[in-house]
C-alpha cells in the first residue's frame, strides 16, 4: 500500500465515522472550536501517522505486527525515562534538538490556525530585526543542514522504499 493510499484510507474512515463522531461530540457536550478539542485532533492524527509508519519501516507485515505487539505488551513504562530512548538512534542532544524543532512546528501550526502569517509579522518589523531573523535562520540552516562532502541523498528516508 502506498503512503497516499493510507492517507486516503484515513480520509474515507474519517468521513464514514463522521456521524459517530458527531453523536459523541453532542453526547459529551464538546466544543469543537476549543483549543483542547483541536489539540486532541492533532494528537490523534499524529498517532495515526506514526502507526502507519510502523508498516512502512518494518521489513514486512509480520515484523510490523510483532512491533505493534511489543508496543502494547511492554509492562515497563520507565523505559521512557531511564535513557533507553537514546539507544534507538538519537543521542540525548539530538533528541532534545528534535523536541525543540517539534515545538517550532507546533508554534507555526498554532499561528497558521489563528490566521497569523509569520512572514507578514517579520516583514512589519524594523530592518535590524528582520536581518537578525534572516541571519539566525541562515545560521540554523548551515548548522543543522546535512549538505557537504558527507551528504548522500540515498540516506534520505524516502529513498529507502
Amino acid at each position: 500500500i502506498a503512503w497516499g493510499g493510507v492517507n486516503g484510507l484515513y480520509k474515507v474512515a474519517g468521513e464514514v465515522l463522521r456521524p459517530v463522531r458527531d453523536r459523541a461530540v453532542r453526547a459529551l457536550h464538546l466544543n469543537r472550536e476549543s483549543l483542547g478539542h483541536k489539540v486532541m485532533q492533532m494528537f490523534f492524527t499524529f498517532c495515526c501517522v506514526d502507526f502507519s509508519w510502523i508498516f512502512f519501516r518494518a521489513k514486512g507485515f509480520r515484523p510490523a505486527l510483532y512491533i505493534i505487539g511489543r508496543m502494547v505488551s511492554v509492562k515497563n513504562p520507565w523505559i521512557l525515562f531511564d535513557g533507553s530512548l537514546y539507544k534507538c538512534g538519537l543521542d540525548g542532544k539530538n533528541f532534545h534538538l528534535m523536541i525543540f524543532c517539534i515545538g517550532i512546528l507546533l508554534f507555526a501550526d498554532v499561528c497558521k490556525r489563528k490566521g497569523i502569517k509569520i512572514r507578514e509579522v517579520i516583514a512589519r518589523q524594523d530592518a535590524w530585526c528582520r536581518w537578525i531573523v534572516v541571519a539566525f535562520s541562515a545560521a540554523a540552516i548551515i548548522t543543522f543542514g546535512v549538505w557537504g562532502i558527507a551528504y548522500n541523498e540515498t540516506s534520505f528516508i524516502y529513498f529507502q522504499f
Side-chain angles (χ1 to χ4, degrees):
I1 295 178
W3 184 246
V6 172
N7 286 312
L9 180 67
Y10 283 151
K11 181 71 173 162
V12 169
E15 291 299 320
V16 168
L17 294 174
R18 182 184 297 267
V20 175
R21 290 184 292 128
D22 289 342
R23 279 195 300 269
V25 165
R26 283 192 302 274
L28 297 171
H29 305 290
L30 299 177
N31 177 8
R32 282 195 162 140
E33 298 303 315
S34 71
L35 176 64
H37 189 80
K38 290 180 181 183
V39 167
M40 286 307 298
Q41 286 178 318
M42 287 188 287
F43 179 75
F44 183 75
T45 301
F46 176 80
C47 289
C48 288
V49 170
D50 279 359
F51 183 78
S52 299
W53 273 108
I54 294 170
F55 293 95
F56 281 95
R57 297 297 296 156
K59 296 201 182 295
F61 190 71
R62 284 186 191 268
L65 292 179
Y66 174 77
I67 292 169
I68 293 167
R70 293 294 294 163
M71 286 171 56
V72 297
S73 67
V74 171
K75 308 231 180 335
N76 181 10
W78 298 111
I79 63 173
L80 297 174
F81 308 103
D82 67 0
S84 298
L85 287 177
Y86 301 141
K87 298 175 184 168
C88 296
L90 291 178
D91 61 10
K93 290 179 182 178
N94 284 319
F95 185 82
H96 292 108
L97 176 63
M98 176 191 69
I99 297 297
F100 175 73
C101 291
I102 289 172
I104 291 172
L105 289 173
L106 286 173
F107 173 75
D109 189 55
V110 168
C111 288
K112 182 178 179 184
R113 286 183 178 270
K114 292 188 176 239
I116 300 169
K117 294 184 171 75
I118 297 172
R119 182 180 295 180
E120 291 177 4
V121 170
I122 295 169
R124 287 193 302 263
Q125 304 308 311
D126 293 330
W128 66 269
C129 184
R130 288 193 310 265
W131 278 106
I132 288 175
V133 170
V134 169
F136 178 77
S137 300
I141 291 169
I142 291 168
T143 303
F144 301 119
V146 294
W147 302 100
I149 296 172
Y151 176 72
N152 181 1
E153 73 269 358
T154 60
S155 66
F156 188 60
I157 192 167
Y158 293 119
F159 289 105
Q160 296 177 16
F161 295 108

